[in-house]
Amino acid sequence: MSFGLGIQSATLLVLAAGLAQRLPPGPIVDRPQAKEKETVQAGGHGWGIYSQVGNLRCQGSGEAIVGFRIRRGSALDYLQITCAAISCVGGKCAWTSYLSEGSAGNPSGGQTASLLLCRTDEALSGYRATVKNFNVGVTRMEYVDDVEIQCAKISGPADAANPRAIGVLPDGRTWRHAGGNLSAGFGSYLSPPGVCSSTGASAVSFAVGHYGVTQANVVQAMSLFCGAAQSACPAGTSTNFTPLASLYGRTAQNCPECCKQCVVLQGSTNRITGRTDREVANLPVQRYNCHLYTLSYLNYVTPPTAKGRVPRPYDRTKILGNDWELSGTSLRAADMQKYGWTQIDPSSVRPGDVVTFGPPNGYEHSAVVIRSGNPAVLRQKPNPFACVTDFTWQEALTFFPARPVSVWRR
């Protein structure tokens, strides 16, 4: 992010001379850190007088930027980042509370205050701004006028390359604006969006400039710094299951064992789950969960009964910042019992058994045993955002820590 230190009018010569003691004349640059990259910059092109240039970062390890607090009038007077500690359990990542941290501009400026906040399973992944463009003779000045944020679903924790850049999904991203929609008014234009592709934003870069007759401090320019790309799996594999890194004594960015090959469902001939694999082969990955996979298997191997259930595709929505499941299969101990399955000692697990994780009134996960021995192997749908994969017994216990763990047999 670079700016020029200019003079807005002849009456500001003295003011500019004083500022030069803090900021050097000529190009002013706030550079990304190693392994970061910068998005497009909004505002700050042309001339301006800057009192501060820098970036805003979350201070805690494992935290992510999850929103902005802003104040604005005819320009963006104030911007503050909100940060949250990200927790990933069983393939699901979320945060529970946020803190307001670094800020830029005038906290008392503007007439309107707003909180732009991502949902609890999302992090900041992009921004878009409207920019005021003043042209006075040969002098051009740009100021950020208003801003909205893009939020992306969190796919995994940060890795060692950048502890403040968590992984995010490329699909299903949403925009947040205080008024519903960001639109350019008279004398303003809509800047191109600045978006991070595979991680959340690791920092907000800014320049505080002087605005108007009163020369008030405002956030004249901004951009985002994006984190280092998350470790990629070889072609044909599923999402990198970084929580498995601890099991193998690896770092999140160097864990080949964390990459699990997607099961080839179409035409599967597995003697335990082959029919189930073929049944779900044409479902979009994000339209079914682990319980739909397991229930499809139960319906196949259990003789028809009046207690049989029809698997329900997974669908969700966002209401008041929370993730609400509109539809989707869930399993309980009562369901297993109605199907005629009984619990057995886990030490005697064998192919064809079903394993459940979590409390009996609502399991958090379920899987089908396709191989016994050392190690036993479970076939399952880790979450609605990953393909069907095979985990060893120990990998499953690491990735799905919910207790108790029960084994069922027909």
Side-chain angles (χ1 to χ4, degrees):
M1 187 175 194
S2 63
F3 320 89
L5 182 61
I7 301 171
Q8 294 178 350
S9 70
T11 60
L12 301 179
L13 282 171
V14 175
L15 193 59
L19 290 173
Q21 296 176 4
R22 283 178 282 172
L23 293 176
I28 302 169
V29 180
D30 179 38
R31 299 187 186 282
Q33 294 182 354
K35 298 185 179 180
E36 286 183 325
K37 62 180 180 179
E38 185 181 7
T39 67
V40 65
Q41 172 184 324
H45 301 104
W47 291 63
I49 298 176
Y50 301 102
S51 58
Q52 186 182 9
V53 173
N55 57 74
L56 309 175
R57 298 178 182 272
C58 297
Q59 298 303 304
S61 178
E63 287 187 342
I65 302 174
V66 296
F68 290 164
R69 287 187 184 276
I70 63 172
R71 292 186 65 89
R72 60 180 298 270
S74 57
L76 182 62
D77 292 79
Y78 179 72
L79 187 152
Q80 182 178 43
I81 60 172
T82 59
C83 299
I86 306 302
S87 176
C88 296
V89 178
K92 296 180 179 180
C93 298
W95 51 272
T96 56
S97 61
Y98 63 89
L99 293 174
S100 297
E101 297 195 9
S103 63
N106 180 6
S108 301
Q111 296 83 45
T112 303
S114 304
L115 174 63
L116 310 177
L117 196 63
C118 295
R119 294 160 181 155
T120 56
D121 61 350
E122 297 176 329
L124 179 74
S125 59
Y127 86 103
R128 187 164 50 193
T130 54
V131 178
K132 285 188 179 298
N133 184 18
F134 295 101
N135 289 299
V136 182
V138 296
T139 302
R140 176 192 176 200
M141 297 171 288
E142 286 189 345
Y143 292 84
V144 175
D145 172 34
D146 196 4
V147 66
E148 67 178 354
I149 64 172
Q150 185 195 74
C151 298
K153 188 173 180 67
I154 302 169
S155 61
D159 59 30
N162 192 330
R164 293 181 182 86
I166 51 87
V168 294
L169 293 174
D171 301 323
R173 300 189 180 193
T174 56
W175 291 92
R176 303 278 192 280
H177 179 256
N181 294 295
L182 181 69
S183 59
F186 178 77
S188 299
Y189 68 89
L190 190 64
S191 69
V195 174
C196 300
S197 59
S198 63
T199 73
S202 54
V204 178
S205 181
F206 69 89
V208 172
H210 289 168
Y211 182 77
V213 176
T214 62
Q215 293 299 288
N217 282 330
V218 299
V219 180
Q220 185 168 351
M222 63 178 296
S223 65
L224 299 183
F225 292 163
C226 303
Q230 295 283 300
S231 302
C233 293
T237 63
S238 71
T239 304
N240 190 358
F241 296 107
T242 52
L244 298 180
S246 61
L247 176 64
Y248 295 105
R250 305 276 193 174
T251 64
Q253 70 179 75
N254 182 27
C255 182
E257 297 91 345
C258 295
C259 289
K260 291 297 178 181
Q261 188 72 36
C262 293
V263 173
V264 180
L265 301 173
Q266 192 70 45
S268 172
T269 58
N270 184 279
R271 68 184 185 88
I272 303 298
T273 62
R275 178 169 172 174
T276 303
D277 294 339
R278 296 190 298 271
E279 285 179 356
V280 303
N282 294 322
L283 287 177
V285 168
Q286 297 190 18
R287 289 305 311 281
Y288 66 105
N289 59 15
C290 61
H291 300 311
L292 183 148
Y293 183 84
T294 302
L295 181 58
S296 297
Y297 170 76
L298 291 173
N299 283 339
Y300 166 55
V301 298
T302 306
T305 68
K307 304 297 183 183
R309 293 175 51 194
V310 176
R312 301 177 66 193
Y314 182 77
D315 197 11
R316 68 189 184 107
T317 190
K318 296 288 187 178
I319 301 176
L320 299 178
N322 295 311
D323 193 350
W324 296 87
E325 185 175 302
L326 292 176
S327 65
T329 296
S330 61
L331 290 176
R332 303 167 299 162
D335 297 311
M336 302 300 296
Q337 293 162 357
K338 288 177 182 178
Y339 270 77
W341 292 60
T342 56
Q343 289 191 51
I344 64 166
D345 186 341
S347 63
S348 61
V349 65
R350 71 186 186 194
D353 293 341
V354 169
V355 183
T356 57
F357 299 75
N361 61 334
Y363 294 130
E364 295 184 20
H365 186 65
S366 60
V368 180
V369 181
I370 62 169
R371 191 175 74 197
S372 57
N374 189 17
V377 176
L378 313 182
R379 180 160 292 184
Q380 33 79 67
K381 181 83 160 47
N383 56 58
F385 304 98
C387 62
V388 175
T389 57
D390 295 339
F391 278 1
T392 67
W393 180 270
Q394 193 58 47
E395 286 172 340
L397 293 179
T398 301
F399 198 74
F400 304 103
R403 298 293 184 270
V405 177
S406 304
V407 179
W408 299 81
R409 182 171 298 165
R410 183 176 65 86

